[in-house]
Each structure stands twice: as structure tokens, then as C-alpha cells.
């Protein structure tokens, strides 16, 4: 059998094209697809297509805030299968960002599980769960009322909204970032309450300028807080759509422990995590670019939030180190604003007014379409209700017409002709259930008809009045702000950040050995007041806590001083790491507890005075058992701790002060005896000596106060009486203030003179103090208490006081 010849091959079809034209066309199509369908947000709802599809699909799935979470993988699958023609990774990444509190100012997804952190990624979609957050409901509500256009999905099987109704300006509130082809967007988040106020103002004043709108929106409000340095970049961004900002973390200089000062970071710039900051600090320290840092610890947790402790080495100025941290680490970061968004499908760079104007126009259109939809539905319902009322009025005839008809078509036609009904009304009557034919149903229908007429009139009035439409938009914006708004987190600084110092080589960050005054309150708090040339100490006009002064000492920042304790020992220390306060307004409440700073752990041991080791002026000490001693500081041995008085068991140092020969030494005892005599009556002794008799004590009495008084000082004596049988802190007692000049001098080791007359039920002094006028009293917590006016007799009984006095001291100036 002969072979069949093969069929003739089709001729080759080869088409010559211009490569340059083809590349241009294909690239433009790709660029348009990326710009329009992936990277840039719509200026109306502030969402990219993938974000919009996620929120819409979750709303369709019924994942409302009042229902349970579902696996994120299920959401990703639904979005990918029905709406988004891209991979699951892109969808899940977008879903995660919608749930991250540090990424969005108002999160739109309520995530359950590990959604990552600023330094770590999230868990896989199969491990996390999600549902819509409450603000997302405001973005997606009313979709079933024809408020926006719907478009086909990628394969034409489903419909999706081209834009969401957006009950608040999401573009400004949450910002956006994305990289397209040939362009990018980077929009800062803002405070919802401020943005709504600006949008409402624009609704009422369409000709408002950018400057007027900035009175409502002064600058971005980042989820992580921080400090925005300078507003020049903000003005540029709001005017032209582009600008650069400097954002600093929020820090404070605090004691980290005994003799340790540190910088505590509680807020960081936007999208900067603590691990990144710590890594940059370690790199700068290892490369010798940054000095003065001893350690960095991340103390962040769920209960206390962000907290990074940066330890400062002894002798280094925390403020100088902080300036280097701003310069060398992300503790200060820049944020470049580029407000590019889609307006009518075209990418545009928008200023603040343009963004608000696009949103307001969108919202007005949404409210208009919603009102038209509701008007049509209510008119349709009114048409049916009126037909039902006609039928119920002649129900017997209606039944007769229906029963006498051969089929439903004939019944429908006869109803229309007999009762003058429309086709819809006739069809509705035919489907009517018999139970609706009661008298009560007629009353319900009449009430419904009246309500529908009122609603129709209101909707027609609304659609016919632009003023009313704007009022509805403003009202709904205010409701969204009330429901989802939170206070501003980012602090705005009008001044631009200081320029970093010009550096050639290493920067000296150590604290200069400048003059300073060390101030110790009667409650044990100490501060360092660094004085410039010609500066003097001042106190606030309004008293604050711990303002009663025990002692002060003039020294230098890096000097070696001694703290004299009630145990009779002197502890060497340097004031370099004590908290520093401005000389213009000394606040002792900001001070450190000195016994904690010196690591004095012995219970009941307290600081009673300061010692300058290079001084030849004697220090006088008085003990509770009546002993007095003078010692010259320059004669003390050079050791970290030295005992300056040998005391009997149970004795303690009550007070200490500088005591040259011309001052008076003063004792006040618990049984209200005051003795003063010249310091020259006590010869200076060496450190091991136990002193000599200072005052003769009565039975059961002890020394309550010891100090010195200069001969030229206008000194006062302040005393507070009480009873030993009364629980301390429960009875304020009686207080008096008298002139020191009323108390005659007596010889050393005598009993002194009466300083307070006890009334019935009183048997002891609880507080006593002698020093320059005026006296300052505080309660045990450090709060200021009022003393009686000076001028009482030395043996008077005092006046009742309104609060417990814990200690008395002098004022600072």
C-alpha cells in the first residue's frame, strides 16, 4: 500500500517589530500596573488595592470586632482566591501591617498571636489569627447602599469596591509608603482628632488656606511618639507635598542605681526598634566614636512598654553623651515626606489642603449616593404600604376578586383594574399572608406610612441642600473622632534641633570640674546645682516637696567630699553623678536619695552633714546622749570610710556643722531643754576620740537637735510638742517659733533652759530646729507644712497645727 504524503506544513509567520517601541510599550504597561494596582494608595480612602481587598473580604466574611478571630491563612486564602491576583506572601505582609500598632496610628486589623515587632518578623499565617478592628468597620460601612462603584475582580467572577466609603481620612491618619516605577510615596501618620477638626473646618470654609488648616493639624503624630524637631519641613510638606523632618526619641536622665546615672529611652523615632538602636550604640562604642557609655540594657516589656537603659560612666556628662547619641545612632532619625497618591487614577503630589479636599469631596459623594439609595428604598416601601392599606380597607372585595379569578395572572390584572394598583402593589397583595389582615396590622401600616413620609421629606431636603449635606459629613466625622481618636503622642518642638558640634578627633564628654553647690534636704534628697559666673541660687515661687534644707556645701563637680552619717562615720564620694538642677529654679524633689546613692544599707543610718576634706575649719558633732566633739577635716585619714567619733552603744550622731571658734553650739532635747555655748569651749580632737560632755540630760531624755548658730544671724527656734504614748504621725501636736536671742547662754555640760511648755497630755518634743529665719517645715513625705508666725515666748506652749510635721530646716535663700 503506497505511503500517504505528509500534510504540507503551514508557512512560517514571522513578524518584524521595532524592539525599542515594544520595550517602551511593555514597560509603560508594567509601570501603569504597578502604580495603579499595587504601590500607590487612593487619595480617597488611603488604601492600596491589596489593603482594600483585605478589609472588604474580611467584612464579607463577617469578621467583625464582636466575633471571634479566624486563622490569618483563611483570610489570605479568601483574598487570594477571589480578589487579589498575587501571592500569599504579599497579602499576609499587608495584613500584618494593618494590625501593627507601631506601624499605623489607628490599626485596622485586630491581630491575635505573634504579629512581629520593629526588630522581628511575624509568625506564619497558619499560627496567627485576625479579625477587623473597630475603625475598619467605619471604613467599610454602607457598602450595601450603593455608596461606591463596584468593579470586576481579576477573572470577572466576583465584584469588589473600587474605593471604600472611609468614614475618616485614613490617608492622613495612617499614612502610606510604597515604591512604584519612577515614583514613590512616603506619607506620615497623623492624629485622628486633629485631622477631623481640619476636615470639618474645610467643610465649613472651602477657601481655607494651608496655614489655617495647620492650626488644627500642626504636624505628624507617629504611633511610636517621639519628639518632632522643628516645623520647617512640616510646612514644606503641607504646602508642596514634600519635606524632611527630624524625629528624636524621648529620653530622660535618671539614676540607675547607687552612684550610677543613665539615659532612659522611653520612645523612639518612627519605625526604629530597640535592637537596632542598641546595635548602632555598640558599633559606635567599639569603633571608639562614642565615649562615656558603660552598658546598654533593653528593659522593654508588655507592662511598661519601651524602655532602654543606657548606663553612663562616672565623670561623663549625660547631656554631652546624649548629643553624641543623637548624632551617631537612630535615636535621632529623619523622615522624608513625599505625599504621592492616586487622584482619579492619576498619581499626584498633594499638600495638606489637597488631601483633605479630595477626601471631603469623596465623603460628600458617598453621603449623596447613600441618601439617594435610602430615598429610593423608602419610596419603594411607601408604594407597597399604600397598596396594602388600599387592600385592607376593601379586604372582602379583594378576596372576592382573587377567588373569582382563574389564575394568578388574571387575579393580578383584575386587582390592578378594580383598585387602581400598580403591578408591584398587586403582586405584593397576592403574596400577602392572611395574618397581616388584622386591625393591628392596619395601625402598624399607617404608622409606617407616616414615618416613611417623614423620612422621605428629610432625605429630599438633605439632597437639595449642600449645607445640610456638609453638616451630615461633619457630624459623622466628629462621631469617628470621638469613637477612635486618641491624644497626641508625638511632641512638637518649634525650634530646630541644634547643629552637631564640629568635631576633629575625639569629643571630650566628661563633666567639667565647675563650681557647684550640693544641697541636702531634711528628707535626705540631694541635688547638685552647677553655677555659672555670677549665678546665684533661687527657688521657685511656689514651694514643692522636700524644700526644707538640712545643709549645703560649696564645692566643685568632681571634688572628693565626705558624707557624715548618724553612725559617726564619713563616707567619701564625688557629686559628679548626682542629679543636676538649674540654678534659676532649684527643685529638690528632682534629687536623689543620698543614702541610696552612697549604698548605705544599715537600717536607720542617715546623712547628717557634709565634710570638705581639704578644709581646716572644724566640724562639730552632737550625739543623742549629749556628747559633743570638734574635729578638723584635713586631719582625717585618706580612706573610703573613716570613723570620726567613738560612741557608746546605742548612741548616734544627731547633727553636724562647720564650727569655727566664734559660733554657738546648740542642743535641744526631747524634754524641751535648749543649751547653747561657744564652740571655743570644745577643743578639736582626733578621729578616734569620743568627744566630751555637751549637755546634761534629764531622766529618759535624749538630744533631738544639734547645730550651730552664727553670732550675727537672726536665728529662730522652732519646736513641735507631742506625747510619747501617741502613735507617731497621728496627732500633729502644737508648734511655736521664737527668737533665738531669748535663750540665754549657759556653760558646756549644763542643762540649758526651757524651750517649750507642755500642756496636759504632752510630755516630749517631736521635732526641734534652730537656724536662720525663716524656718521651713515639711511632713514625712516632704510636702510643705505651715508653721506659726515667729515671735512666741521661749517657754510658751505653741499653737495647734493642721498637719503632722516630720522635719524642719532652713530655706535655700
Amino acid at each position: 500500500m503506497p505511503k500517504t504524503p505528509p500534510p504540507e506544513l503551514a508557512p512560517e509567520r514571522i513578524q518584524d517589530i521595532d524592539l525599542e517601541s515594544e520595550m517602551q510599550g511593555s514597560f509603560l504597561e508594567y509601570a501603569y500596573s504597578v502604580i495603579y494596582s499595587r504601590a500607590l494608595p487612593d487619595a480617597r480612602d488611603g488604601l492600596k488595592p491589596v489593603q482594600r481587598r483585605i478589609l472588604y473580604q474580611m467584612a464579607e466574611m463577617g469578621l467583625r470586632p464582636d466575633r471571634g478571630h479566624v486563622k490569618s491563612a483563611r483570610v489570605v486564602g479568601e483574598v487570594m482566591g477571589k480578589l487579589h491576583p498575587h501571592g500569599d506572601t504579599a497579602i499576609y505582609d499587608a495584613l500584618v501591617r494593618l494590625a501593627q500598632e507601631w506601624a499605623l496610628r489607628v490599626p485596622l486589623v485586630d491581630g491575635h498571636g505573634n504579629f512581629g515587632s520593629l526588630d522581628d518578623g511575624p509568625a506564619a499565617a497558619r499560627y496567627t489569627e485576625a479579625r477587623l478592628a473597630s475603625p475598619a468597620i467605619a471604613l467599610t460601612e454602607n457598602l450595601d447602599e450603593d455608596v461606591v462603584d463596584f468593579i470586576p475582580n481579576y477573572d470577572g467572577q466576583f465584584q469588589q469596591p473600587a474605593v471604600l466609603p472611609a468614614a475618616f481620612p485614613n490617608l492622613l491618619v495612617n499614612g502610606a509608603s510604597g515604591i512604584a516605577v519612577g515614583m514613590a510615596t512616603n506619607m506620615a501618620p497623623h492624629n485622628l482628632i486633629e485631622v477631623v477638626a481640619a476636615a470639618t473646618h474645610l467643610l465649613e470654609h472651602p477657601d481655607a488656606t494651608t496655614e489655617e488648616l495647620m492650626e488644627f493639624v500642626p504636624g505628624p503624630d507617629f504611633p511610636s511618639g517621639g519628639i518632632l524637631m522643628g516645623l520647617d519641613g512640616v510646612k514644606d510638606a503641607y504646602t508642596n507635598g514634600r519635606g524632611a523632618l527630624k524625629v528624636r526619641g524621648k529620653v530622660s536622665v535618671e539614676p540607675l542605681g547607687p552612684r550610677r546615672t543613665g539615659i532612659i529611652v522611653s520612645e523612639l523615632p518612627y519605625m526604629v526598634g530597640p535592637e537596632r538602636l542598641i546595635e548602632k550604640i555598640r558599633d559606635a562604642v567599639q569603633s571608639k566614636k562614642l565615649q562615656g557609655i558603660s552598658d546598654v540594657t533593653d528593659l522593654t516589656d508588655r507592662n511598661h512598654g519601651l524602655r532602654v537603659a543606657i548606663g553612663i560612666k562616672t565623670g561623663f556628662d549625660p547631656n554631652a553623651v546624649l548629643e553624641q547619641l543623637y548624632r551617631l545612632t537612630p535615636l535621632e532619625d529623619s523622615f522624608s515626606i513625599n505625599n504621592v497618591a492616586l487622584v482619579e487614577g492619576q498619581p499626584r503630589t498633594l499638600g495638606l489642603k489637597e488631601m483633605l479636599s479630595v477626601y471631603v469631596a469623596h465623603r460628600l459623594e458617598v453621603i449623596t449616593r447613600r441618601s439617594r439609595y435610602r430615598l429610593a428604598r423608602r419610596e419603594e416601601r411607601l408604594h407597597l404600604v399604600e397598596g396594602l392599606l388600599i387592600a385592607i380597607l376593601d379586604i372582602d372585595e379583594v378576596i372576592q376578586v382573587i377567588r373569582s379569578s382563574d389564575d394568578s395572572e388574571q387575579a393580578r390584572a383584575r386587582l390592578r383594574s378594580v383598585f387602581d394598583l400598580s403591578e408591584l402593589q398587586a403582586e405584593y397583595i397576592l403574596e400577602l399572608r392572611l395574618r397581616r389582615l388584622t386591625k393591628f396590622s392596619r395601625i402598624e401600616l399607617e404608622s409606617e406610612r407616616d414615618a416613611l413620609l417623614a423620612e422621605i421629606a428629610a432625605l429630599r431636603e438633605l439632597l437639595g441642600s449642600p449645607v445640610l449635606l456638609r453638616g451630615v459629613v461633619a457630624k459623622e466625622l466628629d462621631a469617628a473622632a470621638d469613637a477612635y481618636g486618641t491624644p497626641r503622642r508625638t511632641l512638637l518642638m518649634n525650634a530646630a534641633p541644634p547643629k552637631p558640634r564640629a568635631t576633629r578627633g575625639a569629643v571630650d564628654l566628661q563633666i567639667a570640674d565647675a563650681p557647684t553647690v550640693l544641697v541636702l534636704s531634711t528628707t535626705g534628697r540631694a541635688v547638685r546645682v552647677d553655677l555659672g559666673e555670677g549665678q546665684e541660687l533661687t527657688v521657685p515661687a511656689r514651694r514643692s516637696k522636700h524644700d526644707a534644707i538640712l545643709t549645703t556645701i560649696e564645692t566643685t563637680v568632681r571634688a572628693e567630699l565626705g558624707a557624715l552619717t548618724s553612725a559617726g562615720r564619713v563616707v567619701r564620694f564625688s557629686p559628679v553623678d548626682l542629679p543636676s538642677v538649674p540654678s534659676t529654679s532649684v527643685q529638690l524633689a528632682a534629687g536623689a536619695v543620698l543614702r541610696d546613692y552612697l549604698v548605705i544599707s544599715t537600717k536607720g543610718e542617715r546623712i547628717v552633714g557634709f565634710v570638705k576634706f581639704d578644709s581646716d575649719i572644724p566640724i562639730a558633732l552632737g550625739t543623742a546622749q549629749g556628747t559633743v566633739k570638734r574635729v578638723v577635716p584635713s586631719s582625717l585619714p585618706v580612706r573610703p570610710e573613716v570613723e570620726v567619733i567613738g560612741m557608746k552603744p546605742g548612741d548616734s550622731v544627731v547633727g553636724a556643722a562647720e564650727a569655727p571658734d566664734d559660733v554657738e553650739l546648740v542642743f535641744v532635747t526631747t524634754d524641751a531643754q535648749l543649751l547653747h555655748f561657744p564652740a571655743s569651749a570644745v577643743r578639736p580632737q582626733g578621729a578616734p576620740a569620743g568627744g566630751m560632755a555637751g549637755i546634761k540630760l534629764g531622766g529618759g531624755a535624749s538630744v533631738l537637735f544639734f547645730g550651730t548658730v552664727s553670732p550675727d544671724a537672726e536665728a529662730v527656734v522652732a519646736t513641735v510638742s507631742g506625747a510619747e504614748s501617741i502613735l507617731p504621725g497621728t496627732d500633729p501636736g502644737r508648734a511655736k517659733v521664737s527668737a533665738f536671742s531669748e535663750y540665754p547662754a549657759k556653760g558646756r555640760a549644763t542643762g540649758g533652759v526651757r524651750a517649750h511648755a507642755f500642756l496636759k497630755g504632752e510630755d516630749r518634743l517631736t521635732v526641734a530646729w534652730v537656724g536662720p529665719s525663716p524656718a521651713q517645715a515639711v511632713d514625712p513625705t516632704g510636702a510643705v507644712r505651715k508653721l506659726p508666725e515667729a515671735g512666741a515666748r521661749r517657754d510658751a506652749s505653741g499653737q495647734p497645727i493642721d498637719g503632722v510635721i516630720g522635719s524642719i530646716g532652713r530655706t535655700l535663700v
Side-chain angles (χ1 to χ4, degrees):
M1 186 174 178
K3 294 182 178 180
T4 305
E8 187 176 344
L9 295 175
E12 294 183 356
R13 183 174 178 273
I14 300 175
Q15 182 178 356
D16 292 330
I17 61 172
D18 182 65
L19 182 60
E20 182 179 357
S21 300
E22 180 65 22
M23 290 295 294
Q24 286 180 352
S26 299
F27 184 78
L28 286 174
E29 289 181 8
Y30 166 73
Y32 178 79
S33 174
V34 171
I35 291 170
Y36 183 74
S37 302
R38 293 172 63 180
L40 299 184
D42 192 297
R44 294 170 291 178
D45 61 5
L47 297 171
K48 300 178 186 179
V50 63
Q51 297 171 328
R52 186 179 304 113
R53 291 162 182 165
I54 289 171
L55 297 180
Y56 171 68
Q57 191 59 46
M58 291 180 73
E60 288 293 293
M61 295 169 66
L63 304 182
R64 301 178 59 84
D66 55 352
R67 299 184 183 179
H69 296 79
V70 302
K71 286 289 186 181
S72 299
R74 178 181 166 191
V75 176
V76 172
E78 288 286 324
V79 173
M80 182 171 57
K82 293 182 177 181
L83 303 177
H84 197 64
H86 299 283
D88 57 344
T89 302
I91 299 172
Y92 185 54
D93 288 346
L95 173 66
V96 166
R97 189 178 188 278
L98 291 173
Q100 291 176 335
E101 295 180 353
W102 58 89
L104 299 187
R105 188 62 180 81
V106 179
L108 302 176
V109 170
D110 178 12
H112 183 68
N114 178 14
F115 275 76
S117 68
L118 283 165
D119 299 301
D120 296 312
R126 60 183 178 274
Y127 298 121
T128 62
E129 298 177 344
R131 65 182 177 188
L132 289 177
S134 296
I137 301 300
L139 294 182
T140 58
E141 64 182 351
N142 304 132
L143 278 172
D144 57 346
E145 294 185 288
D146 191 34
V147 291
V148 295
D149 293 332
F150 276 71
I151 57 176
N153 71 332
Y154 59 88
D155 61 2
Q157 295 187 31
F158 300 97
Q159 294 287 309
Q160 61 182 335
V163 65
L164 293 185
F168 61 86
N170 181 62
L171 182 68
L172 273 165
V173 171
N174 281 324
S177 62
I179 300 175
V181 178
M183 64 185 66
T185 185
N186 196 37
M187 309 179 74
H190 291 77
N191 185 273
L192 173 59
I193 298 174
E194 296 174 354
V195 171
V196 165
T200 304
H201 181 78
L202 189 62
L203 277 166
E204 298 172 353
H205 306 87
D207 296 330
T209 62
T210 301
E211 289 74 17
E212 292 174 355
L213 295 175
M214 285 186 66
E215 295 179 5
F216 301 94
V217 185
D221 186 23
F222 297 105
S224 56
I227 303 173
L228 184 59
M229 306 299 295
L231 299 180
D232 291 340
V234 175
K235 293 178 181 177
D236 292 340
Y238 287 170
T239 304
N240 308 317
R242 293 181 180 176
L245 317 174
K246 288 287 186 181
V247 184
R248 286 182 173 181
K250 188 174 289 186
V251 301
S252 59
V253 178
E254 300 178 11
L256 298 181
R259 306 196 198 189
R260 291 191 64 215
T261 301
I263 296 172
I264 302 298
V265 182
S266 56
E267 295 178 4
L268 284 171
Y270 185 49
M271 301 307 289
V272 174
E275 290 186 13
R276 178 184 164 198
L277 173 67
I278 293 171
E279 181 183 356
K280 292 294 183 181
I281 292 175
R282 287 174 178 165
D283 291 344
V285 171
Q286 291 173 1
S287 62
K288 309 291 186 184
K289 295 180 180 178
L290 185 57
Q291 302 175 2
I293 292 180
S294 60
D295 58 86
V296 184
T297 308
D298 187 3
L299 304 175
T300 304
D301 59 30
R302 293 183 178 180
N303 296 326
H304 302 92
L306 176 68
R307 185 176 173 86
V308 177
I310 304 173
I312 306 299
K313 292 180 179 178
T314 299
F316 282 80
D317 185 355
N319 294 315
V321 174
L322 182 59
E323 287 300 319
Q324 297 302 305
L325 287 170
Y326 286 142
R327 186 171 65 88
L328 299 171
T329 71
L331 194 57
E332 178 180 283
D333 201 13
S334 60
F335 186 90
S336 297
I337 294 179
N338 188 23
N339 295 329
V340 178
L342 295 175
V343 179
E344 297 180 355
Q346 301 296 322
R348 284 180 52 190
T349 302
L350 306 172
L352 176 63
K353 182 176 180 179
E354 287 79 8
M355 286 188 285
L356 287 172
S357 298
V358 170
Y359 172 77
V360 166
H362 169 62
R363 196 61 191 166
L364 285 170
E365 182 182 359
V366 166
I367 299 301
T368 301
R369 292 182 61 163
R370 186 184 69 186
S371 300
R372 288 173 181 165
Y373 177 87
R374 291 178 177 177
L375 177 61
R377 299 290 83 75
R378 280 152 181 76
E379 287 176 341
E380 291 174 2
R381 178 60 185 170
L382 178 63
H383 184 61
L384 296 177
V385 168
E386 288 174 341
L388 282 176
L389 285 171
I390 293 173
I392 289 176
L393 288 175
D394 297 315
I395 190 61
D396 294 333
E397 188 175 353
V398 168
I399 294 174
Q400 180 62 32
V401 168
I402 295 174
R403 289 188 62 186
S404 61
S405 300
D406 295 334
D407 52 29
S408 60
E409 288 295 332
Q410 185 181 16
R412 186 182 303 110
R414 292 181 64 191
L415 284 173
R416 292 185 62 185
S417 62
V418 173
F419 298 100
D420 193 21
L421 300 175
S422 69
E423 186 172 353
L424 285 176
Q425 289 174 325
E427 181 66 28
Y428 192 69
I429 291 172
L430 285 174
E431 295 177 355
L432 186 67
R433 293 186 178 183
L434 292 177
R435 68 173 125 184
R436 296 294 306 275
L437 304 180
T438 62
K439 180 179 180 182
F440 184 69
S441 294
R442 177 183 172 185
I443 297 174
E444 285 182 343
L445 289 171
E446 289 176 344
S447 300
E448 184 180 359
R449 178 195 60 192
D450 296 340
L452 286 170
L453 288 171
E455 291 178 11
I456 289 170
L459 286 169
R460 286 175 176 169
E461 183 182 8
L462 176 63
L463 289 169
S465 172
V467 174
L468 290 178
L469 276 174
R470 291 178 179 272
V472 172
V473 172
K475 182 179 179 181
E476 294 187 359
L477 280 172
D478 290 338
D482 292 340
Y484 314 119
T486 54
R488 167 171 280 276
R489 298 177 186 173
T490 300
L491 179 64
L492 301 179
M493 300 289 287
N494 289 326
K499 295 181 179 179
R501 324 178 197 183
T503 57
R504 293 179 69 90
V507 179
D508 185 11
L509 304 180
Q510 297 194 29
I511 301 174
D513 195 19
T516 190
V517 175
L518 201 60
V519 183
L520 178 65
S521 73
T522 58
T523 51
R525 290 185 174 269
V527 294
R528 195 185 80 230
V529 187
D530 298 338
L531 299 178
E533 186 176 351
Q535 285 185 328
E536 296 181 353
L537 296 180
T538 60
V539 293
R542 182 178 179 180
R543 292 289 178 189
S544 61
K545 280 193 171 185
H546 313 287
D547 275 350
I549 307 302
L550 178 65
T551 186
T552 62
I553 187 170
E554 295 183 6
T555 180
T556 60
V557 173
R558 303 175 68 84
E560 285 287 324
L561 299 176
L564 180 58
T565 76
S566 57
R569 63 186 180 123
V570 172
V571 180
R572 283 182 178 266
F573 75 100
S574 173
V576 65
D577 287 329
L578 279 171
S580 176
V581 297
S583 62
T584 55
S585 182
V586 179
Q587 292 276 5
L588 287 168
V593 179
L594 189 58
R595 69 187 309 275
D596 294 340
Y597 177 80
L598 299 176
V599 201
I600 296 176
S601 57
T602 306
K603 186 177 180 180
E605 188 174 4
R606 60 188 182 89
I607 311 300
V608 296
F610 291 133
V611 174
K612 294 175 73 171
F613 290 110
D614 58 353
S615 175
D616 293 327
I617 300 176
I619 297 292
L621 300 82
T623 73
Q625 295 181 6
T627 300
V628 65
K629 177 181 179 178
R630 284 207 302 165
V631 61
V632 178
S634 60
S635 67
L636 296 175
V638 181
R639 293 199 296 265
E641 292 184 12
V642 58
E643 187 176 319
V644 293
I645 183 172
M647 293 185 295
K648 297 177 182 179
D651 201 2
S652 63
V653 176
V654 174
E658 283 191 344
D661 290 344
D662 61 343
V663 303
E664 293 285 304
L665 305 183
V666 185
F667 285 90
V668 182
T669 65
T670 55
D671 59 353
Q673 295 297 117
L674 185 149
L675 172 66
H676 68 92
F677 53 87
S680 58
V682 181
R683 70 181 186 278
Q685 297 175 301
M692 58 186 70
I695 185 172
K696 183 179 179 181
L697 296 174
S702 62
V703 174
L704 189 61
F705 170 84
F706 174 79
T708 63
V709 173
S710 299
D712 56 348
E714 295 183 4
V716 295
V717 178
T719 52
V720 181
S721 61
E724 189 173 6
S725 60
I726 296 177
L727 189 67
T730 59
D731 184 12
R734 304 173 67 87
K736 78 175 184 66
V737 180
S738 55
F740 178 71
S741 59
E742 291 198 10
Y743 297 81
K746 299 288 184 179
R748 181 181 63 82
T750 61
V753 298
R754 180 172 296 279
H756 197 111
F758 294 136
L759 297 181
K760 185 177 180 181
E762 299 177 340
D763 56 11
R764 64 191 296 268
L765 292 182
T766 58
V767 182
W769 180 81
V770 181
S773 179
Q776 178 69 63
V778 295
D779 68 10
T781 69
V784 174
R785 290 293 183 189
K786 187 176 181 180
L787 286 169
E789 296 292 334
R793 299 193 322 272
R794 67 176 178 84
D795 58 349
S797 60
Q799 301 176 15
I801 50 179
D802 58 358
V804 175
I805 292 177
S807 58
I808 302 175
R810 64 180 177 86
T811 57
L812 192 57
V813 293

